[in-house]
Amino acid sequence: MCATPFDESFRSPPPAFRGAPFWSWNDELDEAKLLRQIAWLEEMGFGGFHMHSRTGLALEYLGPDFMERVKACVREAELRGLRAWLYDEDRWPSGYGGGLVTIEPRFRQRYLLFTPRPYGPVPPRLPDPIYPPALRNERGRLLARYEIALEKGAVRYRRLTDGEGAGAGADVWYAYLETDWPCIGWNNQTLADILNPEATRRFIELTHERYREAVGQYFGGVIPAIFTDEPHPERKQMLSRAEARENIRLPFTDDLADTYRAAYGTDLLDSLPELIWTLPDGRASVARWRYHNHICERIVTGFLEPIGAWCAAHDLALTGHMVEEPSLESQTMYDGEAMRGYRVMQLPGMDLVDDGLQLSTAKQVQSAARQFGRPGVLSELYGCTGWDFSFADFKAQGDWQAALGVTQRVPHLSWVSMRGEAKRDCPGSIFYQQPWWREWRLLEDHFARLNVVLSRGRPVVHVAVIHPIESFWLSYGPAAETEEARARMEARFRGL
């Protein structure tokens, strides 16, 4: 990471080994204020900052004034020998470009609605929630109908032809492809369809290319990386119990059945009920495994791979983290598998947005970094720990993460301002709003010296573990009927 001799680097670690917090751009972004705050971040011992749009931003996101502030801060970082990290979204999760991408309906997030009730009249309009609720919008496209018969929680099913009804003792269920409805939380748009490479290309055009035009000459130097944050499709839902007549959602997109057929030679829609219910006699569902595997690959190839390739072509590292990395269930629900996404990140990362202990989360990223020969591991840490989190707490959380391979710290969060709604962001601010902010350098020096040591040599590993996530997929069925099997695998995973 640095050519400075070891002894000198250890005594006075350079910026490459120091933390770079999320610097919350959450007000009008007066340029003089921003430049003054960069000096304060340097005084705190940080090696740089992530320019991170947050709630309260009063400038047009990625607009001319916003980009002028980016350029001014990058120039100031160069003058001070600091590093200016980019962030690829207005808040999070990444992909929708603050709504600029999903203005176009073809790029909006899709999902499969599986329901025991056919569509009714189309409502004239839907409510405007802050974030999208788990409801149907009656505006989708019918994909298939099924005869469903349950016996002791297991399913017997067949796909119905047009106009065909269910037999005696069976019900009809419906599969619709729906598109997300705009909401206030996503700037009156929706999240992006990250399973769609065309949506990703539009995201790159509107975000990454705009940064390249403004500050591309600093890529690979003052600007080491761009952070992507929690990209994910619609989360996978399950029935509360096999007999429940509930609407559930599953990630889907327009061509998913086509790419599934190309990958496996079968029609996903023929076997769709196997994603929802268990099969008789405890048989494992090949279709269920294939679906989870295919969604996972579509996340990687539809979103992460195009961005990783763009970054590599422009001397920029792709960093950031997946969403809900800690447990087998949370990964299955959102990513399919978190580790698969790390393969295209030049600096893979994780987050811990509380005062928890997530050993498996850190170990997964450390393992991927070793397997793919990456220079280190990033962690977004300390978020939501509150205003009374002590220096002992900050050090303890940082120490156990360092022991599990974290070498690039991204403290969450340093606020530009406490104006208006900005003060409701994840507390507390690790910045000038704290009475101890000038003493923060004690912690930063400690971790910087630790990173100097941890970034040398190579790991010696004696134990290999096969990750159990794909086995867990097979038990992702009705909650009540599969709870025991899922809990047993989770306990073994944590205990390992």
Side-chain angles (χ1 to χ4, degrees), residues 173-293:
W173 283 66
Y174 304 82
Y176 295 97
L177 179 65
E178 289 198 341
T179 299
D180 259 356
W181 194 251
C183 67
I184 298 169
W186 312 132
N187 293 340
N188 296 309
Q189 295 299 331
T190 76
L191 295 184
D193 182 5
I194 69 164
L195 304 177
N196 179 358
E198 289 294 325
T200 303
R201 280 190 277 274
R202 183 61 173 157
F203 177 56
I204 292 171
E205 177 185 339
L206 291 171
T207 304
H208 300 68
E209 287 291 347
R210 195 166 296 184
Y211 279 120
R212 183 188 63 79
E213 292 169 4
V215 291
Q217 69 268 34
Y218 298 99
F219 286 4
V222 178
I223 301 177
I226 187 166
F227 193 109
T228 199
D229 203 356
E230 302 186 351
H232 63 273
E234 177 68 42
R235 71 178 179 91
K236 299 164 186 164
Q237 296 178 329
M238 60 172 66
L239 295 174
S240 61
R241 54 188 177 84
E243 294 80 9
R245 295 177 58 79
E246 300 165 338
N247 295 335
I248 68 168
R249 286 170 154 182
L250 293 171
F252 223 81
T253 193
D254 297 304
D255 67 345
L256 190 77
D258 297 332
T259 58
Y260 182 97
R261 184 183 296 107
Y264 302 115
T266 61
D267 189 341
L268 172 60
L269 295 177
D270 286 345
S271 306
L272 195 65
E274 295 186 27
L275 313 185
I276 314 298
W277 290 281
T278 56
L279 292 174
D281 305 319
R283 286 184 287 119
S285 169
V286 174
R288 182 182 293 180
W289 179 90
R290 286 173 172 172
Y291 169 76
H292 287 280
N293 187 65

Side-chain angles (χ1 to χ4, degrees), residues 339-490:
M339 287 184 71
R340 206 175 299 191
Y342 304 148
R343 75 188 189 212
V344 297
M345 293 185 179
Q346 289 83 6
L347 183 62
M350 58 168 277
D351 84 338
L352 180 63
V353 189
D354 59 29
D355 184 25
L357 188 68
Q358 293 182 7
L359 303 181
S360 61
T361 301
K363 178 56 71 174
Q364 288 170 161
V365 191
Q366 180 193 53
S367 176
R370 288 173 173 175
Q371 293 179 59
F372 296 115
R374 303 306 189 224
V377 170
L378 174 145
S379 177
E380 172 194 333
L381 70 175
Y382 303 143
C384 300
T385 50
W387 289 101
D388 57 352
F389 208 58
S390 71
F391 270 35
D393 295 323
F394 284 123
K395 182 178 182 298
Q397 189 180 119
D399 279 344
W400 75 256
Q401 292 195 29
L404 286 171
V406 169
T407 55
Q408 180 61 58
R409 291 158 38 84
V410 183
H412 185 301
L413 185 72
S414 301
W415 297 357
V416 167
S417 171
M418 293 181 69
R419 185 197 309 267
E421 63 179 341
K423 69 171 62 68
R424 295 181 173 86
D425 207 340
C426 303
S429 178
I430 304 174
F431 205 19
Y432 68 93
Q433 295 93 347
Q434 296 279 16
W436 42 254
W437 69 275
R438 284 189 168 89
E439 280 68 56
W440 180 264
R441 190 178 190 98
L442 295 169
L443 280 173
E444 210 54 50
D445 286 347
H446 161 72
F447 286 111
R449 293 189 178 106
L450 195 54
N451 290 337
V452 169
V453 177
L454 292 176
S455 299
R456 295 172 63 86
R458 64 180 180 85
V460 178
V461 181
H462 298 289
V463 177
V465 175
I466 304 299
H467 202 294
I469 188 71
E470 295 184 28
S471 297
F472 188 88
W473 295 346
L474 298 176
S475 295
Y476 196 76
E481 285 76 10
T482 62
E483 180 179 13
E484 183 178 344
R486 288 182 287 111
R488 183 168 57 248
M489 281 188 274
E490 291 282 20

Side-chain angles (χ1 to χ4, degrees), residues 37-46 437-438 440-441:
Q37 290 191 9
I38 290 173
W40 295 348
L41 290 166
E42 182 181 26
E43 186 177 348
M44 292 175 72
F46 289 123
W437 69 275
R438 284 189 168 89
W440 180 264
R441 190 178 190 98

